[in-house]
Amino acid sequence: MERTRDDTLYPPIEPYESGMLDVGDGNLVYWEVCGNPDGKPALVVHGGPGSGSTPRSRRYFDPDRYRVVLFDQRGCGRSTPHASDPATDMRHNTTAHLIADMERLRDHLNIDRWLLYGGSWGSTLILAYAEEHPERVTEAVIPAVTTTRRSEIDWLYRGAGQLFPEAWAAFRAGVPETSDPAGLVAAYARRMESEDAAVREKATADWCAWEDAVLSMEAIPGPPPYGSRPGREQLALVRICSHYFAHGAWLEEGRLLARAHRLTGIPAALIHGRFDLAGPLITAWELDRAWPDATLTVIDNAGHMGGTETRRAVLAALDGFARRG
């Protein structure tokens, strides 16, 4: 299918197949497939963690050439149990669990190898999966590169406060029980486990206000990306985010960069905005140097959420890999 311009998404499409995959521990993961049943397999790995998949992601893929799989990671979107429910046990929601879920989904759909697409937290999960199962990955397209090192988490929830001191002061004030600025994420994670709904809701609002502040310099049309989410989705997002980041995503510091040599032979397009304040460019630059078959494209006028030039680069990469077969 042809697009009218090189920055235009493909027309909306609907899934031709969907279901709930039992991944164990009482969890059911929602999945869907759209595009060409005989096309090149591709998996969309959403961000957050805890954002859930969106219909817009389907439109980056040529529906004539791709068999596109989307899924909602544990605890969010249409997967159950939902993290907005305080009774949901978060012990069974870790990076290792998500990697295993992806493998179970691949096997369930009888896919041998697939392209991986996703940014922000999605890029961390892509890297963790691909380094564990490089034989299952054909290519990767990664905008807004992150590896969720503790240093990256510290920048986002403490270091960036140097640029937005008023908003960060409000974020810090949301957890007065901790006097250590480095402990804010863990303090928010504890608040999201409170039995008091008002405590969880206040922590969610404070967290989302800070995330929106970090993105406030980007020209994002419409309402703020975090504060405008429905309440149930906000609660799940913040609970999952704080849970993962308080534990450093259960990854040894620097592990994904140190093991990038395992990705040798997997072509990748890394696309990153120079003015990404949520995930500074240095991480993408370091990954490009460590991954022999990756190519980094820096978008000079973009941030974390991207824009026209970022969209154009993602579409070009996906179209190019589709032609590769």
Side-chain angles (χ1 to χ4, degrees), residues 231-269:
R232 179 173 180 267
E233 302 305 320
Q234 273 191 7
L235 285 165
L237 174 64
V238 176
R239 189 179 182 202
I240 295 171
C241 275
S242 59
H243 171 64
Y244 271 73
F245 297 160
H247 291 89
W250 297 272
L251 296 169
E252 180 184 346
E253 185 73 352
R255 173 184 174 88
L256 298 183
L257 288 172
R259 301 207 327 158
H261 64 276
R262 292 178 58 81
L263 306 175
T264 299
I266 302 174

Side-chain angles (χ1 to χ4, degrees), residues 9-24:
L9 298 179
Y10 286 97
I13 54 175
E14 294 298 322
Y16 63 79
E17 186 180 10
S18 64
M20 300 291 286
L21 180 65
D22 186 342
V23 293

Side-chain angles (χ1 to χ4, degrees), residues 60-207:
Y60 281 92
F61 298 85
D62 184 339
D64 293 336
R65 293 180 170 182
Y66 276 105
R67 179 188 178 193
V68 187
V69 181
L70 297 90
F71 75 111
D72 293 334
Q73 294 161 31
R74 291 191 182 204
C76 69
R78 289 149 289 189
S79 294
T80 61
H82 204 261
S84 61
D85 181 351
T88 297
D89 189 346
M90 297 298 288
R91 292 178 302 168
H92 303 302
N93 198 332
T94 69
T95 303
H97 284 100
L98 299 186
I99 292 171
D101 293 349
M102 292 163 68
E103 266 298 89
R104 194 176 300 230
L105 179 58
R106 183 194 59 76
D107 184 65
H108 177 73
L109 296 175
N110 295 312
I111 293 173
D112 182 47
R113 303 170 71 221
W114 48 11
L115 174 148
L116 304 178
Y117 164 67
S120 195
W121 159 255
S123 67
T124 294
L125 186 52
I126 283 173
L127 293 170
Y129 173 89
E131 290 179 7
E132 195 71 24
H133 302 285
E135 75 284 358
R136 297 303 181 188
V137 182
T138 56
E139 304 94 3
V141 177
I142 303 176
V145 177
T146 72
T147 64
T148 315
R149 288 174 291 184
R150 287 160 182 80
S151 58
E152 294 170 54
I153 297 167
D154 183 67
W155 162 260
L156 178 55
Y157 297 105
R158 188 167 68 104
Q162 298 174 71
L163 303 176
F164 307 99
E166 305 95 334
W168 189 76
F171 180 61
R172 182 175 180 177
V175 284
E177 64 272 20
T178 180
S179 59
D180 179 10
L184 297 185
V185 171
Y188 271 96
R190 289 191 293 270
R191 286 197 162 225
M192 292 306 298
E193 298 304 318
S194 172
E195 296 181 357
D196 188 336
V199 171
R200 298 194 303 273
E201 290 167 4
K202 176 65 165 53
T204 296
D206 289 342
W207 182 285

